[in-house]
Amino acid sequence: MAAGSVGVSKSNDGGGGGRVTMFVVLSCITAGMGGAIFGYDIGIAGGVSSMEPFLRKFFPEVYRRMKGDSHVSNYCKFDSQLLTAFTSSLYVAGLLTTFLASGVTARRGRRPSMLLGGAAFLAGAAVGGASLNVYMAILGRVLLGVGLGFANQAVPLYLSEMAPPRHRGAFSNGFQFSVGVGALAANVINFGTEKIKGGWGWRVSLSLAAVPAGLLLVGAVFLPETPNSLVQQGKDRRDVALLLRKIRGTDDVDRELDCIVAAADSGAMATGRSGLRMLLTQRQYRPQLVMAVAIPFFQQVTGINAIAFYAPVLLRTIGMGESASLLSAVVTGVVGAASTLLSMFLVDRFGRRTLFLAGGTQMLASQLLIGAIMAAKLGDDGGVSKTWAAALIFLIAVYVAGFGWSWGPLGWLVPSEIFPLEVRSAGQGVTVATSFVFTVFVAQTFLAMLCHMRAGIFFFFAAWLAAMTAFVYLLLPETRGVPIEQVDRVWREHWFWRRVLGMGSEEAPASGKL
């Protein structure tokens, strides 16, 4: 058996019978609007940042360099800390909101966090679309970031807890699929609004974030809370059982409910301290804490957000026109959404580790080739030929596809399913906060790194891709098919983590033998 894998039984002994009901499908689609807004906000920023009217109004120095300052390198035309602040302010606000959102999600439930997120998204869309100066535009992004702090905390937990165990991967990957659909919608809208005469198309792009925000806000009013959260809040068992029967489409829910209640009771008896303090101080949560930090860190240093934020900017760097660069971003958006949809069908069949390893290898190869072409063909002046531009677009699409069916969805799925109930909200908070920290870092530094490192930045990301693929191979156990309230057993059966937990090989279950 390969290093890092375990022989965990995939039985449903923790519950999980029944069928996939329309009730749970509609609930998860509504919750997924939080992912759609996330993707939309990522995609829209990169598009409007390459639109000439937007740059002329808010970033005149960047506009001047782009329009023909021959003394500035191709790699440095968009190097502006104010421009990157416009992008990264959203994630700074999200980071600061995350731990407040973690407390709300744990104490009040997943649904209230989605309601607060939807309201903040609406306010951000309104302010951004009506911006009169760069500071107002940044304020709009900050309000969107507050929404992200709540939505990214609550939605992945909601999806993983509502999903039947045997389909949890597909349902949870729906979050990243929603992100991909949102990003694709942003790219299509940017391509259309760029053509609006009068130079106000960027206002439409920023304002239309209100559409998924409104759907999330209105939908969350009618969403049920998850059974896990209701048990955590001490609700009556009979009421939880009624909801669980409705979700699963069967009366046979006693085993699953017993498992949820037992997990909640175990956490309550262990300590009265906060979930975050438990997570940080108790040895039994050490493997999950490592993953809560390492997985979102690695997800960001794949370089995906550099592509997602700045794909149109990057394509303009190699000499493409405004419309052509936005159209190319649409193409890569289609690829990203389609590959994430594919992962929904593959993840519960082949497992998390297989997709992580295959996708990481695909991304590594494409990053190396992108860097090689940029280094060989793009100097400080001029562009690249149409043939090499087409090759770069193809390789970016290959890279986006690799991310779309591996590190994109799995970066949210795995952290959402590995924590015991008593620290699940805190664990998701650590995951989201880590993601925001490194998203801010990438967003704020990418254009400066592109300017100073030139094509070497792609080799920088490639090195991280090699490291993270090795990390998964050695240290991430498989969680496919394991009921969410019993996932903790995969750490006790893993060749490395059982030693961290203080279990000798003689104490490990036989199924964990390598």
Side-chain angles (χ1 to χ4, degrees), residues 129-351:
S131 296
L132 300 176
N133 54 55
V134 68
Y135 302 106
M136 194 172 175
I138 291 175
L139 174 61
R141 296 284 289 175
V142 168
L143 290 171
L144 291 171
V146 172
L148 277 186
F150 280 101
N152 283 13
Q153 170 70 29
V155 171
L157 291 183
Y158 189 92
L159 294 174
S160 65
E161 291 177 347
M162 289 290 281
R166 66 182 179 275
H167 299 297
R168 189 173 64 243
F171 274 80
S172 296
N173 278 11
F175 179 76
Q176 183 64 28
F177 178 65
S178 299
V179 173
V181 170
L184 174 59
N187 290 329
V188 171
I189 289 168
N190 281 335
F191 179 69
T193 58
E194 179 268 331
K195 301 181 184 304
I196 295 177
K197 294 182 179 179
W200 49 271
W202 60 270
R203 293 189 184 275
V204 177
S205 293
L206 295 177
S207 298
L208 284 178
V211 175
L215 291 173
L216 175 64
L217 181 61
V218 173
V221 173
F222 300 100
L223 285 179
E225 189 54 83
T226 70
N228 309 67
S229 180
L230 292 176
V231 169
Q232 191 175 24
Q233 295 173 58
K235 301 298 183 183
D236 188 89
R237 179 187 172 105
R238 289 169 296 182
D239 293 336
V240 180
L242 286 174
L243 174 61
L244 199 54
R245 292 188 188 106
K246 189 174 183 181
I247 292 171
R248 299 292 181 244
T250 179
D251 291 334
D252 184 18
V253 298
D254 289 341
R255 284 189 302 164
E256 184 174 3
L257 182 55
D258 287 343
C259 194
I260 294 172
V261 171
D265 289 344
S266 174
M269 289 187 296
T271 179
R273 292 179 292 177
S274 71
L276 181 59
R277 182 175 297 179
M278 292 168 63
L279 181 63
L280 295 177
T281 60
Q282 295 191 17
R283 186 177 187 176
Q284 69 192 77
Y285 306 119
R286 200 61 46 79
Q288 295 97 321
L289 178 61
V290 169
M291 294 299 163
V293 174
I295 289 177
F297 166 72
F298 283 135
Q299 188 185 51
Q300 296 310 311
V301 295
T302 61
I304 187 61
N305 277 337
I307 299 294
F309 295 150
Y310 300 118
V313 169
L314 182 61
L315 293 169
R316 296 208 72 178
T317 295
I318 65 175
M320 296 183 70
E322 185 174 356
S323 291
S325 65
L326 291 172
L327 179 59
S328 298
V330 171
V331 173
T332 57
V334 170
V335 171
S339 59
T340 304
L341 180 62
L342 177 64
S343 77
M344 295 174 67
F345 296 97
L346 298 178
V347 66
D348 289 315
R349 177 177 298 238
F350 296 103

Side-chain angles (χ1 to χ4, degrees), residues 59-141:
F59 306 98
E61 179 64 21
V62 174
Y63 177 76
R64 180 187 61 79
R65 294 201 301 259
M66 185 187 70
K67 294 302 288 183
D69 188 339
S70 59
H71 299 292
V72 178
S73 167
N74 277 322
Y75 291 99
C76 300
K77 290 184 183 295
F78 289 87
D79 182 17
S80 165
Q81 289 302 299
L82 188 60
L83 178 59
T84 51
F86 168 75
T87 299
S88 62
S89 57
L90 181 146
Y91 304 98
V92 173
L95 170 63
L96 297 177
T97 306
T98 292
F99 290 105
L100 170 64
S102 177
V104 172
T105 304
R107 291 191 298 270
R108 302 297 181 184
R110 289 44 166 156
R111 196 172 70 94
S113 284
M114 288 189 279
L115 285 167
L116 290 170
F121 281 134
L122 277 176
V127 172
S131 296
L132 300 176
N133 54 55
V134 68
Y135 302 106
M136 194 172 175
I138 291 175
L139 174 61
R141 296 284 289 175

